[in-house]
Amino acid sequence: MANSVIILSDKKITALKAYYASDRVTRNAPGVVFAAKTANASITAYRSGKVLFQGGGAEVEAAKWQSDLDASSDSRAPKKKVVVKGAALPDRLETLSVIGSDETGTGDFFGPVTVCACYVRADQIPLVAELGVKDSKLLTDPYMRSIAPDLKSALTYSVLTLQNEKYNTVQAKGWSQGKIKALLHNQAIRHVLRKMEDEHPDYILIDQFAERGVYYNHLKNEREIVRENVLFATKAEGLHVAVAAASIIARVAFLDEMDRLSGLAGRTLPKGAGKKVDETAASILLAKGEPFLRSMTKWHFANAKKAAVLAAKKRG
């Protein structure tokens, strides 16, 4: 899908609203002040003055209003080179076209591991920022769910969900979480690169969970390994919006699966691995048995044994 983002003055926004009044649609996404859908484009105006045009006629429609400054030409002051664990990241990385990759669910007893790789072109950075994308740890689950559809519509991405039964199978074979995550990240990135066809990112940025050598050692038996222009950095959500967007999409995939599992369990499954998780797991163990509980959890976590102790006390 073609995308164009421009910045308009308040006067031009008013004119745009009048021009597309007959095509107006309702959009409840954060920051949206007006939305319309024509035969060949969707138009979304934001409180900041930025306007997103999407669809086959996006460039044509945007050109009607482009006498104002284009969002992609925002000036940015030069920044110092960022160094992460001894490796220098490229200058102005935050302004480049990047595939970002992140995961979630690895610390939760209930639910899957989800990984997302997401491509953000340089000209899409203002749009992604406008949608409120930032480190998912700073956002609420409802807010992430509200902006995820727009991100999925505008960006090229791949999200993978490793169900608990598969997770438990490979973990029992001796796979560490590091190996599991490395395989999922590599696969998601490959999927995005294929979707991009002849387009190439400036860099690929992975939210670092292992040193480069360890990461590639996990992948040594894979037939296709992505190595070109791959960067690793901790807290990468703050270094490029592509990682932040990937983090949000991965989180929403995790939440969707948690909702599904909660429906099967007949109760809301808590996140994390604390006391409430132990108590919920014990209740499920008593009501539905060990195979059922195992099917929706990471069985090697200490919570499994704690739940068994709690269940035994309740039986006694």
Side-chain angles (χ1 to χ4, degrees):
M1 179 186 294
N3 296 286
S4 292
V5 181
I6 61 176
I7 294 177
L8 298 180
S9 64
D10 291 343
K11 183 177 179 180
K12 279 289 188 73
I13 291 287
T14 300
L16 179 140
K17 289 179 179 179
Y19 184 85
Y20 294 111
S22 62
D23 299 306
R24 183 167 188 161
V25 296
T26 300
R27 296 207 59 214
N28 296 318
V32 173
V33 295
F34 177 79
K37 187 171 179 61
T38 68
N40 62 355
S42 294
I43 301 97
T44 308
Y46 294 90
R47 191 173 294 114
S48 65
K50 290 175 184 174
V51 183
L52 164 67
F53 296 83
Q54 294 175 288
E59 293 182 0
V60 173
E61 293 298 320
K64 297 175 181 178
W65 308 92
Q66 213 155 7
S67 59
D68 285 276
L69 178 66
D70 190 291
S72 63
S73 65
D74 286 349
S75 62
R76 296 175 184 265
K79 294 188 176 182
K80 294 180 180 179
K81 187 180 291 292
V82 178
V83 178
V84 179
K85 290 191 175 181
L89 297 180
D91 290 329
R92 298 171 61 83
L93 175 64
E94 73 281 0
T95 69
L96 303 179
S97 298
V98 169
I99 294 176
S101 189
D102 201 1
E103 84 286 327
T104 193
T106 56
D108 297 271
F109 180 56
F110 288 107
V113 173
T114 58
V115 171
C116 179
C118 186
Y119 178 50
V120 178
R121 294 193 316 270
D123 66 307
Q124 293 175 311
I125 292 172
L127 165 64
V128 175
E130 182 65 32
L131 289 173
V133 170
K134 60 181 73 173
D135 184 350
S136 64
K137 298 178 185 65
L138 304 176
L139 302 176
T140 65
D141 288 345
Y143 186 84
M144 285 188 280
R145 280 182 146 158
S146 74
I147 65 176
D150 284 335
L151 294 177
K152 291 179 180 180
S153 174
L155 305 176
T156 302
Y157 72 96
S158 172
V159 61
L160 304 176
T161 299
L162 181 65
Q163 303 291 351
N164 292 98
E165 290 178 319
K166 178 66 173 179
Y167 176 95
N168 289 331
T169 297
V170 297
Q171 194 279 327
K173 292 180 179 179
W175 289 22
S176 65
Q177 272 204 354
K179 180 179 178 68
I180 291 170
K181 289 190 286 186
L183 290 167
L184 290 172
H185 277 272
N186 185 64
Q187 184 178 350
I189 292 166
R190 286 194 290 109
H191 287 174
V192 172
L193 287 169
R194 287 197 184 107
K195 291 178 181 180
M196 291 165 57
E197 298 178 343
D198 294 331
E199 192 171 359
H200 299 284
D202 294 317
Y203 291 97
I204 297 168
L205 178 61
I206 299 174
D207 192 48
Q208 187 167 3
F209 55 87
E211 296 292 339
R212 176 183 293 272
V214 174
Y215 174 87
Y216 282 113
N217 186 58
H218 288 317
L219 301 176
K220 61 185 178 183
N221 295 322
E222 293 297 291
R223 282 194 288 181
E224 291 184 64
I225 303 174
V226 180
R227 297 179 183 274
E228 186 177 0
N229 294 328
V230 175
L231 306 171
F232 297 85
T234 57
K235 300 181 179 179
E237 302 97 327
L239 298 176
H240 199 284
V241 292
V243 181
S247 178
I248 290 168
I249 296 173
R251 179 65 176 177
V252 171
F254 171 80
L255 294 173
D256 289 345
E257 180 62 11
M258 286 288 279
D259 286 348
R260 186 186 74 83
L261 294 175
S262 293
L264 294 176
R267 68 202 76 201
T268 300
L269 300 178
K271 303 173 187 70
K275 184 178 179 181
K276 187 176 181 180
V277 169
D278 299 336
E279 294 170 348
T280 301
S283 297
I284 294 173
L285 189 59
L286 288 169
K288 296 181 178 289
E290 181 179 306
F292 182 85
L293 178 62
R294 182 190 291 262
S295 73
M296 58 179 54
T297 62
K298 300 174 184 71
W299 196 246
H300 66 106
F301 277 31
N303 303 90
K305 292 181 179 178
K306 293 178 181 178
V309 171
L310 290 174
K313 289 180 179 178
K314 291 181 179 180
R315 289 192 191 101

